[in-house]
Structure formats: structure tokens, C-alpha cells
Amino acid sequence: MKAIIAATIIGVIMMFASILSNNKSGIVSLATVLFFFLFGINIWEVYESINATGVAAPAYLNNMMSLDSFAIWFSMLMSGCALLYILLLGKEIAKVGKHVGEYFALIAFIMVGIYLLAGYSNMLMLFIGIEILSIPQYILAGSDKRNLKSTEASLKYFLMGSFSTGILLMGIAMLYGATGSFDIINFRMLQTDALNPLALSGILFLIIGLGFKVSAAPMHMWTPDVYDGSPTPFTAFMSTIVKAGVFVAFLRLFHASFGNLTNHWMMIVAVITATTLFIGNITAVFQQSVKRMLAYSSIAQAGFMLFAILSVNATAWQGIVIYAVAYSVATIGMFAVLIKLKDYTYDGFNGLAKKEPALAFFTTIFLMSLAGIPLTGGFMAKYFVLLAAVQQGQVMWLVIFALIMAAVSVYYYFKVIIAMYFKTGEAELNHEVTGYDKLMLGITCLLVILIGLMPQLLLNL
Amino acid sequence: MMLTLLLLIPLIAGILSFFLKGEGVKILALLSTLATLVLSGFVSYEILVAGLSGTNNTLDFSMPWIPQLGTEFSLHADGMSAMLCLLTGIVMPVIIIANWNKEVERPWSFYGLMLLSQAGITGVFLAYDALLFYAFWELALIPVYFLCSQWGGEKRIAVTFKFFVYTFVGSLMMLAALIYLSTLNPGANSYSWANITHAGASLAPETQSWVFWMIFIAFAIKLPIFPFHTWQPDTYEQSPTPVTIILSALMVKMGMFAVLRWLFPMVPQGVAFWSNTVIILSIIGIVYASFLAIVQTDLKRLIAYSSIAHMGLMCAAAFSNTQMGMHGLMVQMFNHGINITGMWLIVSMVENRYGTRDMTKLGGMATAAPQMAIALAIISFANIALPLTNGFIGEFMLFNGIFQSASAYNIVFMAVAGLGIILGAVYTLNMVQKTAFGNTTPMLISKDMTTNESLAMALIVVLVIFLGVYPKPLLELTQSVAQMMVP
């Protein structure tokens, strides 16, 4: 709860900071310090929850929030990723437009949404969390106001987003009709044999609504345009940390509440997973722009995260945590490199290895992690979610399909490596790569490898 | 501890190389490979002596890695792994010595990647935990991918990418099977060799028969056996010669080794069910690759196809399930690695001097560079398994094994596989004739072997003849493993 309050206060401070000062780099430094502070508070909370073993998870807001150790741990990890994001891309955020303070304020509010989604125990909180998380994103997507693509992205995102929120709300209402409660604990009483049709359609609507938010196919249509059109620093945020937050909400609801109804929804999710993997990977192959490729790749990665949803077991929880962090770290790193380049097409990467060997090396590690090569975080992430699915049984076909799709993904990730190392050309940079950039990217890179070597560090369960 | 050092020396030296500039890299690479040679020789010697005195002749090392996944960092060396580590230990310094005078662009990254690939390959030979094995299996591939793509021939990018994707798909299938097997045996050590082979071997025969293919595809692509071989001639042709040596002398052995160490104990009934199929595929590969080798004019492609034929024979013997075949196979893994290294060294010398690998444009090497011609002749004899060369003892045992196999078609198998020897003589001798004799082609640099080349070549030739005359150390090193695999 401390983190939620702190993030809100940080958001407010950042809003006022921009009134008081016009110094962009000052605001960035302030935000960095505040996010450090936020991370510290999260660690404090984790520390408290470790000491309080045996005590029931504290409930807040009339039992609408239940901050169990998983919620606190996950919030801490996401704050860590957000801090890394600010450290890597803070200066780039300041370049997007005039209202630098507001951007950081919106990011802080999104963090509030993520914390709510990690620990909700009531559908009302789920809904509020999703809204707190979505509305700042609509603004961030359109923050580059002079750019038509950014405005288009914002509008598209807003329309599609509100549409999906409507569907989500509908699902919640139907479940309320079936059970007379918003509390997710009470959904557990739904019985497989005498399932209320209202509840069943409610579950279906929830799958569609949440599927929209995590860009699962066929509800993914908005993703490429929005991710491509938004200013790059915000794409990095939206496609990683935010998405991971929604996934945890998805997981919590479907495992805690509908875990015994798997025979009703598992096949639906399995088909959605297969479609997502297929569309994400195959379409990514044909992209010319690396930014757009990363948008499709984020759909493809969502396909892997969906494995955690459909395997109702403890490994799935571990899997989603590792996946969320490994994928976020590597993708944020990748975007931090991308933003330094003038040309976002594959050709823009030509000859980068000669010009900036360190940068090219880091990019290679990030891409290998995304492709799932062993000893990088991405491998362990894929490993855990697939292990969860194998333990669940019944979906071995999907596991094999996913592995074939992982092989396809090597094609488009390695195209960047091929461009950097094996093609000749002059990769043009926006500005010099400073020692600070290299240091931060190096740390990110080490994190990717560390997760690959010791994924257990991310697990407290 | 020695096993860990075997891994760590190339790994650390490889990483260090990236930070060095100039000549220092070469020296570092040479020193570290010589260190691994000494170390692997020592490991093999210890295992050999322990085996002769009848005590426990394996070395083990293990420490916890990711207990949540049931995997640990565990290394294990028996006669077979020690022998292959020794092969790695011999081949790597030979490569570096032979290329001592050759300029490469960006030597720090070239030698760094070579050493990293050595670390990966050694890891594959030593890993005793399936997930660790998988990690090394992939890691060996990545440096080689970068090596081929940066220093290779004209079509290198497309060719090596095909190679990479091909092998990657195979390994992913293996990963799925490994995950599946590990879930059957939950606990702290579900990936350890003992547990995972137990889990696999207690599966129902029908399950084993499909798990077999999921695992075997990865190895079959690496070997490569027909029809999974299509990446191989192109990749060998396009890679720079040092990398071709790594690919054909060492990485191919990874596939064979993995079949023996992991596949056979893991799905014994699956192996029994499919062994005739695999033998038939291997034998088709022998004949098909031999015929293709006959019509090649490019030296590299010729040797590539000849290598497919040899690997086919080894694979057929592996699946014959006889102790003799198994024992011969282990010896032959070593010998093939030595022979093909010699072969590639000569090809690279020829290419340096004549500026071409096209056999129709070569000739008269025996008068212009007699030392090279003699070396070529010796290695070629070993390649066609003439007695008193190391190739003979291995192939003899392989054929013996196929002949003894319990399969109803053992005689047919042996007869058709024997065709490979005859065809092998045809293309190998034809190659010797065309390059060493005939019209003299002018050399670009008219020079016989330089000192460093002679040194590398001498090492290979001595091994070829020594192991041909006195193969006993090699046989004794691997005997207990062969006895364990086929009692």
C-alpha cells in the first residue's frame, strides 16, 4: 500500500515540478531520484512482507485489495524495471515534447495502476486499475503533438481501448449477475457442472477484454499502429512494463477465480495463444522497420505469456514473473538502442558493429534474449512458461507449435544482427553514444545474462 | 576441478581476447589451447590408468545451479568424453599453429569466437545434466555462426543463416522433449543424467518412439545424416577453413556423442524400434554422398560430401547395437576428427598457393611442393582407411559391428555400406591424382609448407600413423564405455 501512495504522490510532485521549473534536465534528474525512492519503498514493503510470514495477507480498502507476497514482489520487480527504463531513456523522454514533467507524472500514475492490478481482490479494483493504466497511455501515445502518426496512434488507442474496456465491464457485470458479488474469492464458488450461462459468457467477455489489453490475436489490431506511431520512449514503456502488469491481472483472475473451470475456457485461451503466436511471428517477418517489427514481436511474446494463463499451476506464476522481467529488460534495452539511430529500418543498422562495437554487442545480447537463446533471460522465461504448459498437460501440441514459432522469431531478430555485423554501411546515429549510455546498456545487458544464469533470483515463491 | 578448468580456460581466454589488440591475441589463443591440450591429455591419462587398474575411471564435478528447475551444474568425464576433449585439445592448437602466418581481419574477435566455441564444445562433451547440455549445445553454435558469417565466402550470410535456423529448430524440438521428460521426474535433480534417462527409459514404448524423433532430429541435423544434410556442403564450402575444421572435426562429433550419451540410454525402446530406419537412412547417405563426391570439382565440397559418407557409416554402426560397433565408433570419432583436420589443412594450403580450389585447374603439386603432396597422400590413405593408418582400425570395427548386428538385413547393410569404401577410394584417389600429379599449374606463391604448417601437419601425420600402428591406448580408453553401453 505504501508504494501505491508513494507513486501517487510522485505523480503529483512531477506535475507541479513542471510548473515550477522549465529546466528539462533538472526534471529528468528529479524523476530519476523519485523513481529510485519508489523502488526503495517497494523493497521496504518486500522486506516487511518477508518478516511477516505466517500472517494473513493484509487487506486494504474494504477488502478490495489483498497485497499478498506475490503482489508485493511483483510490484517491486516492476518498479525496478521502471527505474531501469527511466535511467536508460529518461533523456529521450525529455526530447519528446515540451511537457516533460507531465510525462513522468503519467508514468508514475501508470505504476499506480500496475500496483493495483498486482494485488486486487475485487473486480472494481481490477477495473480501476485497468483504467488508471490505460488513460495515461492514451495521452502518452499522442504526446508528440506535431506528428500526425502519434496523434493517429493516440486516437486509435483511445477508441479501441475504450471499446475493450466496455467489453470488460460487460463481463464484470455478467459475473456479478451470476454470483452477486464483485469479490474474486466468491467466483471460486462457481461450479463446473452447474455453471450459470451468465457466468460463462462473463468469462468469455473477460478473456476478450483482457486479451485486448495484452494484444492477444485476434484482438491485436491496434497494437502495430499504436506502438509504431507513439514516440519511441513511450512505446518501450507501453509494450513492456504495462503489458506485464495487465498479464498479472489476467493471471490472478483466471487462476484464483476460474482455476477449477479450466475445461470451459482453456481451449479458448489455447486457440487465442496459437493465433497470437502465429500472427505475431509471421507478420514480424515481413516488416521493414525495426520499430514495427518490435511491435509485432511484442504480440508474439504476448503469445508466450499466454501460456502462463492457460496452465493453472504454480510454475505459471513463476513463469509470468520471469517472463515479465526478462522480456521488459531486453525490450527496453533494445528500444534504448533503437532510439539512438536515425533510420529505424533494418538498413539503418547496417555496419553498426564497426562504428559502435559496444552498442552492437549489447543489441546482440538483447536480441538473443528475445529470441530465447540459452543463458539469456529470454530463454529462462520461455522455459518456465513452456514448463508450466507441459506440467498442465493437454496442450503438448501448442508447446511444439510455440517452439516452431520461436524458431521463426530467430529469423527477424537475427536480421538485425546480420545487418549490424555482416552488412556494410554507415549506420547513422542521432547523437553520440556517451559513456553513461554504454554503462547503462552494459548493466542492462548484465541483467539479461544474470536472469539467464540464475532465474531463481526473481522468485520468492 | 580439472573439468571445470577445461571449460574455464577457453571461456576466459575467449572473453579476454575481445579486449586485446594486435599480435597478443594470437599468442593468448595459442597458450590457452595448449593449456587445454595438456589438461585434456592429463584427464585422459588419468582415466586410462584408472580404467586399467580397475578402479572408478570417471571424473565428476557438480555444484547447485537452479534447484527450482531440478538442474545442477554437473560435469562428468568417462573415457568417451575424455577422448573427445582430447580431440578438441589437439585440433584447436593445430588450427592456430597452421594459421599462424595468415592475416585475419579483426583478429581479436576471430580468435575470441574460436575460443568461445571451444568452450561450448567442451561443455557439450562434459555436461552431465540435460539442461546444461542443452545450454552448451546452443552456445557452441553461436560463436560458429558469427565466425562463418563474418569471415566466410561470398554467399556466407544466407548459407550460415540456413545452417543456424536448421540446427536451432532441431534443438528446440529436443528442448521440448527434455522438458517433457523432466516433468515425469519432479524433484531437485530431474535433469541429471541418471534421472532423465530413467524417466525416459520407463516410458511406454509408443511414447518412446515419438520422443526418439524429437530428440534425434537435433542430433541428426548436426551429424548430419541423410536427408538432414543439406546445410552441410554449403556451410563447409562458405566457412573459412579454421571454422570448417571446427565444424567437421568437432561439432559433428557433438551429434554423434549426444546420440551415445543421451539418446541411447534415454529412449532405448525407441532406439530399438527405429534403428533399422536410421541405419537405412545412414546407408542411403553413404552411397548418395559418395556418388556426389565423385562428381565434385571443388575440393571443399568433395571433402564435405566425403565427410557425410563417413558420418553415415558411423551412424549406421552406432545403431547396430553391438559392442564391437560401439567401440569402433568411439575410436573412429577420434580418428575422423584427426583425418579431416589434416584434409582441411591441405585444402587451405592449396588454396593459398594456387588461389583456387577447383580440381580441374590444379595439378603437379608433387613436383612443385613435394612435402604437401606427401602429406596429402598420407591423409588420403587414412581417409580411405588403408591398413596402418588410423582410419583402418576404426572402419574395420565399424563394419564388423554392422555385420554382427542382430538385424535381419545385416549382410545387406554391410554390403551396401561397403560400397562406400570403394567409392571413397574412387573420389579420394581421383583427388590426389588431379591435385598432386598431371600438368603443373603455376603457383601464386611458390613455396612448399612453411615451418608452422609443417609443424601442424607433422602432428597430424604422426597421429595418423601412430594410431594406425598402435591403437591400443585409444581402444583401452573407451573400452569400459563401450562395454557399459552394450553389455
Side-chain angles (χ1 to χ4, degrees):
Chain A
M1 204 59 200
K2 292 184 196 77
I4 298 176
I5 297 166
T8 318
I9 294 173
I10 288 171
V12 177
I13 294 176
M14 288 317 298
M15 270 160 59
F16 283 101
S18 59
I19 297 179
L20 299 176
S21 161
N22 262 332
N23 180 358
K24 277 187 179 181
S25 64
I27 291 177
V28 175
S29 320
L30 177 67
T32 316
V33 172
L34 287 176
F35 271 85
F36 255 115
F37 179 65
L38 183 62
F39 186 45
I41 287 186
N42 272 294
I43 292 176
W44 179 22
E45 266 194 309
V46 168
Y47 179 72
E48 273 187 351
S49 84
I50 290 172
N51 282 343
T53 39
V55 185
Y60 296 97
L61 304 173
N62 294 325
N63 286 331
M64 293 204 286
M65 292 287 294
S66 146
L67 292 173
D68 51 17
S69 61
F70 175 83
I72 289 173
W73 182 254
F74 183 78
S75 307
M76 190 273 284
L77 291 174
M78 284 302 107
S79 306
C81 290
L83 176 63
L84 184 74
Y85 163 74
I86 303 254
L87 286 171
L88 269 171
L89 289 160
K91 274 187 283 177
E92 305 294 337
I93 296 173
K95 283 182 200 151
V96 171
K98 269 196 206 151
H99 312 283
V100 184
E102 277 88 337
Y103 302 150
F104 289 107
L106 291 169
I107 290 171
F109 290 141
I110 293 178
M111 291 315 289
V112 176
I114 291 172
Y115 300 150
L116 289 178
L117 289 181
Y120 72 95
S121 62
N122 190 300
M123 294 306 259
L124 216 54
M125 275 296 147
L126 170 71
F127 183 73
I128 291 177
I130 292 256
E131 283 301 283
I132 293 185
L133 183 115
S134 300
I135 291 169
Q137 283 191 83
Y138 306 147
I139 308 171
L140 287 179
S143 54
D144 188 1
K145 280 189 273 187
R146 292 151 300 175
N147 186 338
L148 213 57
K149 269 175 95 183
S150 173
T151 318
E152 181 199 333
S154 178
L155 184 67
K156 219 172 215 169
Y157 199 7
F158 175 64
L159 290 177
M160 296 300 246
S162 2
F163 180 59
S164 71
T165 313
I167 292 176
L168 186 75
L169 208 52
M170 188 88 168
I172 296 175
M174 283 173 170
L175 277 166
Y176 184 78
T179 61
S181 167
F182 280 136
D183 201 321
I184 63 171
I185 311 286
N186 291 338
F187 296 159
R188 277 187 210 157
M189 281 173 245
L190 292 167
Q191 292 301 318
T192 311
D193 41 348
L195 192 62
N196 192 332
L198 212 51
L200 196 58
S201 21
I203 293 174
L204 190 63
F205 272 65
L206 281 174
I207 291 178
I208 295 173
L210 290 168
F212 251 110
K213 298 290 179 191
V214 300
S215 66
M219 290 81 80
H220 69 286
M221 297 295 185
W222 58 273
T223 322
D225 288 337
V226 171
Y227 285 1
D228 194 21
S230 306
T232 312
F234 299 137
T235 311
F237 192 66
M238 294 192 294
S239 64
T240 55
I241 301 171
V242 177
K243 203 179 227 184
V246 183
F247 256 110
V248 164
F250 204 159
L251 187 78
R252 183 175 277 276
L253 183 62
F254 276 72
H255 284 203
S257 309
F258 310 134
N260 55 348
L261 303 175
T262 41
N263 54 341
H264 289 290
W265 55 265
M266 201 168 97
M267 206 26 118
I268 302 172
V269 178
V271 171
I272 289 179
T273 310
T275 325
T276 312
L277 283 168
F278 185 77
I279 291 182
N281 282 300
I282 300 297
T283 328
V285 167
F286 298 104
Q287 299 309 313
Q288 302 300 318
S289 143
V290 175
K291 191 177 177 189
R292 220 174 155 78
M293 178 275 275
L294 285 171
Y296 279 104
S297 118
S298 99
I299 298 176
Q301 305 276 357
F304 276 98
M305 285 195 253
L306 282 169
F307 270 99
I309 309 289
L310 63 83
S311 344
V312 184
N313 52 36
T315 318
W317 290 76
Q318 303 179 339
I320 203 83
V321 170
I322 293 178
Y323 214 111
V325 178
Y327 164 69
S328 300
V329 170
T331 310
I332 290 172
M334 189 60 216
F335 273 110
V337 173
L338 183 68
I339 208 163
K340 299 201 167 32
L341 291 163
K342 264 212 177 99
D343 184 359
Y344 282 178
T345 60
Y346 283 101
D347 290 338
F349 278 85
N350 282 356
L352 187 67
K354 241 184 208 131
K355 197 164 181 179
E356 286 288 343
L359 206 60
F361 174 74
F362 298 145
T363 317
T364 309
I365 298 285
F366 298 145
L367 288 167
M368 283 189 177
S369 178
L370 290 173
I373 308 276
L375 299 196
T376 60
F379 170 72
M380 281 302 166
K382 287 202 170 70
Y383 177 86
F384 267 89
V385 290
L386 292 180
L387 176 67
V390 174
Q391 282 175 350
Q392 170 74 20
Q394 302 168 40
V395 283
M396 203 60 197
W397 60 273
L398 196 57
V399 171
I400 292 173
F401 181 72
L403 286 171
I404 294 170
M405 286 297 131
V408 172
S409 80
V410 167
Y411 177 79
Y412 54 83
Y413 291 130
F414 272 58
K415 242 164 90 177
V416 181
I417 297 181
I418 289 174
M420 287 191 306
Y421 279 95
F422 315 141
K423 293 205 172 151
T424 46
E426 276 293 306
E428 279 187 72
L429 297 177
N430 270 330
H431 49 84
E432 283 295 295
V433 183
T434 60
Y436 172 81
D437 290 334
K438 279 186 193 162
L439 177 71
M440 285 320 299
L441 283 169
I443 291 174
T444 317
C445 200
L446 278 180
L447 279 176
V448 169
I449 293 170
L450 190 67
I451 299 169
L453 284 174
M454 306 199 156
Q456 68 264 43
L457 296 177
L458 296 178
L459 302 173
N460 75 330
L461 308 163
Chain B
M1 197 57 225
M2 277 192 295
L3 302 183
T4 331
L5 269 184
L6 261 181
L7 266 179
L8 281 181
I9 292 173
L11 184 69
I12 292 173
I15 293 170
L16 273 182
S17 303
F18 286 97
F19 298 99
L20 289 177
K21 303 273 136 121
E23 283 289 293
V25 183
K26 238 194 263 180
I27 297 166
L28 175 71
L30 184 66
L31 287 180
S32 81
T33 48
L34 286 177
T36 51
L37 171 60
V38 172
L39 203 58
S40 56
F42 189 63
V43 168
S44 310
Y45 176 74
E46 272 207 348
I47 288 176
L48 180 63
V49 170
L52 288 179
S53 64
T55 48
N56 171 32
N57 62 341
T58 56
L59 292 175
D60 289 274
F61 174 83
S62 79
M63 59 183 266
W65 181 30
I66 313 174
Q68 284 87 341
L69 290 183
T71 178
E72 54 180 4
F73 185 84
S74 90
L75 304 176
H76 169 88
D78 54 9
M80 177 168 58
S81 359
M83 182 192 73
L84 289 167
C85 287
L86 183 63
L87 178 67
T88 318
I90 293 171
V91 169
M92 293 304 295
V94 164
I95 296 174
I96 290 170
I97 293 172
N99 288 287
W100 192 260
N101 291 333
K102 209 183 279 176
E103 293 293 318
V104 275
E105 277 180 67
R106 283 166 285 131
W108 56 90
S109 120
F110 183 79
Y111 286 104
L113 289 168
M114 293 276 276
L115 292 172
L116 288 182
S117 73
Q118 187 194 359
I121 292 166
T122 315
V124 169
F125 292 146
L126 292 176
Y128 213 44
D129 176 285
L131 200 65
L132 188 67
F133 165 77
Y134 177 79
F136 280 125
W137 180 267
E138 291 286 335
L139 282 192
L141 176 65
I142 288 162
V144 169
Y145 168 70
F146 277 94
L147 281 168
C148 298
S149 307
Q150 288 186 78
W151 287 275
E154 268 169 40
K155 288 181 292 178
R156 61 185 192 274
I157 296 176
V159 165
T160 44
F161 194 58
K162 176 179 167 191
F163 159 62
F164 186 82
V165 171
Y166 225 112
T167 44
F168 193 67
V169 173
S171 2
L172 284 175
M173 291 298 113
M174 169 168 79
L175 179 65
L178 292 180
I179 295 179
Y180 171 68
L181 290 178
S182 81
T183 56
L184 299 177
N185 208 350
N189 283 326
S190 53
Y191 275 108
S192 74
W193 184 84
N195 281 338
I196 206 156
T197 48
H198 175 76
S202 32
L203 283 174
E206 307 85 69
T207 327
Q208 283 195 23
S209 68
W210 65 262
V211 172
F212 170 85
W213 277 109
M214 285 184 72
I215 300 176
F216 184 60
I217 287 233
F219 304 155
I221 289 172
K222 210 70 144 212
L223 271 170
I225 68 164
F226 179 85
F228 305 105
H229 66 282
T230 51
W231 61 269
Q232 196 245 33
D234 291 337
T235 312
Y236 281 15
E237 187 192 359
Q238 293 297 323
S239 307
T241 313
V243 184
T244 319
I245 297 178
I246 292 189
L247 277 169
S248 59
L250 304 176
M251 291 194 78
V252 158
K253 304 300 175 300
M254 277 167 45
M256 203 68 248
F257 169 83
V259 167
L260 300 181
R261 168 62 45 86
W262 297 99
L263 184 71
F264 280 8
M266 214 183 263
V267 280
Q269 278 163 308
V271 171
F273 185 76
W274 290 110
S275 63
N276 271 351
T277 316
V278 176
I279 293 179
I280 289 170
L281 285 179
S282 315
I283 286 176
I284 293 176
I286 297 175
V287 177
Y288 171 76
S290 300
F291 275 116
L292 281 178
I294 290 175
V295 296
Q296 297 304 318
T297 54
D298 185 298
L299 281 175
K300 267 192 156 179
R301 286 189 86 86
L302 186 146
I303 298 171
Y305 280 112
S306 133
S307 177
I308 297 181
H310 282 111
M311 291 316 293
L313 180 60
M314 289 193 214
C315 193
F319 280 83
S320 71
N321 194 32
T322 56
Q323 198 181 19
M324 179 67 93
M326 212 57 91
H327 201 176
L329 170 63
M330 287 177 205
V331 175
Q332 184 63 7
M333 277 201 271
F334 189 87
N335 290 336
H336 177 258
I338 297 290
N339 294 346
I340 200 144
T341 308
M343 216 50 153
W344 291 123
L345 289 182
I346 291 180
V347 170
S348 100
M349 289 177 209
V350 168
E351 197 181 0
N352 277 350
R353 282 166 184 70
Y354 291 94
T356 176
R357 295 189 306 254
D358 191 342
M359 282 199 298
T360 54
K361 292 178 191 155
L362 291 173
M365 198 166 76
T367 44
Q371 290 178 10
M372 268 168 68
I374 293 170
L376 172 66
I378 295 175
I379 304 287
S380 302
F381 288 154
N383 197 40
I384 52 177
L386 226 58
L388 295 188
T389 62
N390 61 351
F392 172 71
I393 179 75
E395 293 212 344
F396 176 78
M397 288 170 84
L398 293 180
F399 277 110
N400 200 336
I402 298 176
F403 184 67
Q404 284 180 12
S405 88
S407 162
Y409 315 105
N410 57 343
I411 307 223
V412 183
F413 287 159
M414 204 194 98
V416 183
L419 208 60
I421 289 260
I422 301 169
L423 294 170
V426 173
Y427 60 75
T428 314
L429 294 178
N430 188 30
M431 175 189 78
V432 175
Q433 199 181 8
K434 279 195 178 147
T435 42
F437 306 107
N439 296 332
T440 310
T441 317
M443 284 188 175
L444 298 178
I445 327 155
S446 118
K447 209 171 13 175
D448 209 341
M449 283 199 263
T450 55
T451 325
N452 61 316
E453 283 168 348
S454 321
L455 190 64
M457 209 61 228
L459 193 66
I460 299 287
V461 169
V462 166
L463 275 172
V464 165
I465 294 173
F466 176 76
L467 291 174
V469 179
Y470 188 67
K472 204 168 159 224
L474 216 49
L475 288 169
E476 272 169 355
L477 184 61
T478 50
Q479 188 153 25
S480 62
V481 188
Q483 277 167 353
M484 199 188 74
M485 296 203 60
V486 186

